[in-house]
């Protein structure tokens, strides 16, 4: 790489020493980092849209964001982010915030913040996430006294949302959800495409070996 060679000559090799230092620091932490520690902080330059926690359970917290407009859409929106992402995946910065944009359009937004996986969650199963989505929907309907909510399911939480909708329909309560939008969510697994490269018997066995406490350490996912 001619740019690396040029930089090495300019710095008399200091760039290589800096790179080695960063690599050893990452090895010590057991994960690959792209920014320095403390570069981002919730409330300072992440998740800056004002909100409040209106419900807390062992599996999730429900955050409410109030519209900034005089006129407000009658039906609120609840967002279910991926289980493995922080709630601020859609509220990164004011310039990159779907939540901020939504409240500026007069939408009352609710965001689910999932508990980060640890050994205490080894017995949590798929059904628990479906039940949590139903609970969040019912909570919002009660808090705002509305008949239904709009929903967004992101990634695996979108897959869960599809199951939640099926469950509500089977119970004759499909009208609790006015609409459902899916972000990068797979629902039909009959033709799973590239996903099949990661769900072979060998891959599943490896995941099982790496998660003896019942959860997969996030450092393996970033490797």
């Amino acid at each position: 790489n001619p740019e690396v060679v040029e930089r090495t000559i300019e710095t008399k090799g200091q760039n290589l020493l800096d790179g080695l230092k960063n690599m050893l620091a990452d090895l010590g932490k057991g994960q690959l980092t792209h920014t320095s520690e403390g570069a981002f902080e919730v409330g300072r330059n992440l998740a800056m849209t004002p909100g409040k926690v209106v419900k807390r359970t062992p599996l999730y917290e429900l955050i409410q964001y109030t519209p900034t407009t005089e006129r407000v859409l009658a039906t609120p929106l609840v967002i279910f982010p991926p289980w493995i992402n922080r709630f601020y995946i859609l509220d990164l910065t004011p310039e990159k915030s779907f939540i901020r944009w939504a409240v500026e359009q007069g939408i009352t937004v609710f965001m689910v913040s999932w508990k980060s996986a640890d050994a205490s969650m080894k017995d949590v199963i798929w059904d628990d996430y479906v039940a949590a989505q139903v609970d969040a929907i019912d909570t919002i309907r009660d808090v705002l006294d509305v008949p239904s909510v709009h929903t967004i399911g992101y990634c695996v939480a979108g897959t869960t949302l599809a199951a939640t909708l099926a469950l509500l329909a089977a119970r004759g309560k499909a009208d609790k959800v006015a609409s459902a939008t899916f972000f990068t969510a797979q629902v039909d697994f009959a033709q799973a495409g590239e996903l099949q490269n990661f769900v072979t018997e060998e891959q599943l066995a490896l995941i099982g070996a790496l998660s003896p406490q019942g959860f997969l350490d996030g450092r393996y996912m970033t490797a």
Side-chain angles (χ1 to χ4, degrees):
N1 188 321
E3 293 184 1
V4 173
V5 173
E6 182 179 354
R7 185 61 177 165
T8 302
I9 295 173
E10 290 178 357
T11 65
K12 298 181 179 179
Q14 186 61 45
N15 63 315
L16 300 180
L17 292 175
D18 292 342
L20 179 61
K21 180 180 178 181
N22 291 335
M23 184 188 73
L24 293 175
D26 284 351
L27 289 174
K29 289 182 288 188
Q31 66 183 79
L32 180 66
T33 57
H34 300 279
T35 60
S36 59
E37 291 188 19
F40 299 99
E41 181 182 351
V42 173
R44 178 172 62 86
N45 53 8
L46 281 176
M48 297 174 63
T49 305
K52 62 180 180 180
V53 176
V54 296
K55 182 170 186 175
R56 180 176 289 115
T57 77
L59 186 56
Y60 77 94
E61 291 182 346
L62 186 63
I63 307 170
Q64 179 178 353
Y65 300 88
T66 302
T68 57
T69 56
E70 291 186 7
R71 299 185 63 187
V72 176
L73 187 68
T75 304
L77 167 68
V78 58
I79 303 172
F80 299 108
W83 306 342
I84 61 174
N85 281 118
R86 300 299 185 187
F87 70 92
Y88 47 77
I89 185 68
L90 292 176
D91 189 29
L92 294 176
T93 66
E95 299 78 21
K96 301 176 182 178
S97 173
F98 174 81
I99 295 176
R100 179 178 290 272
W101 176 86
V103 297
E104 289 176 348
Q105 311 309 306
I107 303 172
T108 302
V109 178
F110 289 83
M111 171 70 76
V112 166
S113 176
W114 301 109
K115 173 180 170 59
S116 296
D118 58 26
S120 70
M121 298 178 63
K122 64 183 180 65
D123 295 322
V124 173
I125 61 175
W126 174 271
D127 292 359
D128 295 313
Y129 284 98
V130 172
Q133 290 189 340
V134 174
D135 183 59
I137 290 169
D138 285 339
T139 297
I140 296 167
R141 293 172 62 248
D142 291 340
V143 168
L144 298 184
D145 191 23
V146 294
S148 62
V149 301
H150 295 296
T151 59
I152 289 177
Y154 196 161
C155 195
V156 67
T159 309
T160 319
L161 177 59
T164 298
L165 295 175
L167 176 65
L168 291 175
R171 292 177 175 176
K173 299 179 180 179
D175 56 354
K176 289 184 177 182
V177 176
S179 71
T181 301
F182 299 90
F183 289 176
T184 63
Q186 191 153 348
V187 174
D188 182 3
F189 291 87
Q191 298 180 352
E194 295 181 355
L195 179 63
Q196 293 177 323
N197 295 325
F198 304 98
V199 290
T200 63
E201 293 299 326
E202 293 78 10
Q203 290 283 353
L204 293 176
L206 175 61
I207 292 173
L210 294 175
S211 51
Q213 293 182 300
F215 77 103
L216 184 64
D217 192 311
R219 289 175 296 183
Y220 289 120
M221 300 191 71
T222 61

